[in-house]
Amino acid sequence: MRLFLLCSLVALSGSACLDAGAQTTAGEPDISVVMNHAKGYPLFAVTAKMTANADIARSWKVLTDYDRLAEFVPNLSSSQVLSSEGNERVVTQNGFARFLFIRQNIDLVLHVTEQPMEAIDIRLVSGNMREYQARWELQAISPMRQPGDDGRTRISYAGIIAPGFYVPTLFGATLMKSDLRNMLNAVKAEMEKRP
């Protein structure tokens, strides 16, 4: 579940507003990070959108493969389901963020609620974040009806994140935006290569 972890890491920028809504290259995710101090500490709103050349079932399988996320998501050391009941999971994740020469370990326990093939809601149970909640949404896109085209999936992420640790402000926004883009591209690649 580094997907959720890394999206939170990317939001830890020091910029009052970083809007990366315009795609830089074809197929790249659209990313926006906005920061405010409404609660007396940095609170970040993150949104990201991308389209995967994979049907919704395969995309869902990748996003919910919590125990294998560390195999393909950058900077995620481990991800493990601690408990599972119905459509709810408790997942622990360990990873790290790099800020120039600083390495910050991130340790989270997350409560995950799944709405199969539609959405994944995440909220913080414990860890070194003040606040963390996020939502992934999936939407099937009609296939182009070409040979080998099994469909596409539009994937959206929205999160509210407040770190419980120091984040350097000078280059933080740029570095984290880059990390999020790398993570989303890794997830997309995994969706597109799985059978």
Side-chain angles (χ1 to χ4, degrees):
M1 249 178 51
R2 167 68 193 291
L3 301 178
F4 312 118
L5 171 63
L6 186 55
C7 284
S8 65
L9 298 180
V10 171
L12 307 177
S13 69
S15 170
C17 178
L18 169 64
D19 188 357
Q23 291 186 356
T24 53
T25 60
E28 287 287 309
D30 290 335
I31 301 167
S32 174
V33 178
V34 178
M35 183 190 82
N36 70 58
H37 283 87
K39 295 185 177 183
Y41 49 80
L43 185 70
F44 300 86
V46 180
T47 59
K49 294 181 182 181
M50 67 178 180
T51 300
N53 292 318
D55 66 20
I56 200 163
R58 190 170 1 143
S59 299
W60 178 262
K61 185 177 179 181
V62 170
L63 285 177
T64 58
D65 195 359
Y66 310 117
D67 290 333
R68 290 189 56 215
L69 290 176
E71 294 176 17
F72 59 90
V73 176
N75 300 337
L76 181 63
S77 305
S78 67
S79 179
Q80 180 181 10
V81 175
L82 297 178
S83 67
S84 180
E85 185 175 332
N87 67 339
E88 297 186 7
R89 316 276 178 264
V90 175
V91 178
T92 182
Q93 294 187 331
N94 306 102
F96 61 91
R98 285 198 173 109
F99 313 102
L100 298 176
F101 301 108
I102 301 169
R103 178 182 160 131
Q104 173 65 53
N105 290 330
I106 308 291
D107 301 303
L108 301 176
V109 177
L110 303 168
H111 181 267
V112 180
T113 304
E114 300 174 354
Q115 298 171 38
M117 306 298 171
E118 293 180 12
I120 303 167
D121 290 295
I122 307 106
R123 68 175 171 78
L124 181 68
V125 174
S126 64
N128 56 350
M129 295 280 181
R130 291 176 191 253
E131 295 184 37
Y132 181 67
Q133 61 184 13
R135 180 176 177 89
W136 287 90
E137 293 183 351
L138 289 81
Q139 181 182 10
I141 302 172
S142 299
M144 300 297 290
R145 300 290 180 214
Q146 297 174 359
D149 187 355
D150 62 353
R152 295 181 297 151
T153 304
R154 183 172 295 120
I155 301 160
S156 301
Y157 170 86
I160 301 293
I161 299 107
F165 49 83
Y166 169 74
V167 177
T169 59
L170 187 57
F171 300 109
T174 301
L175 294 172
M176 290 186 216
K177 183 175 88 172
S178 175
D179 280 351
L180 179 56
R181 189 171 307 283
N182 291 339
M183 185 274 301
L184 290 172
N185 284 331
V187 169
K188 179 181 174 182
E190 183 70 13
M191 289 174 175
E192 292 177 349
K193 79 174 186 180
R194 281 206 192 177

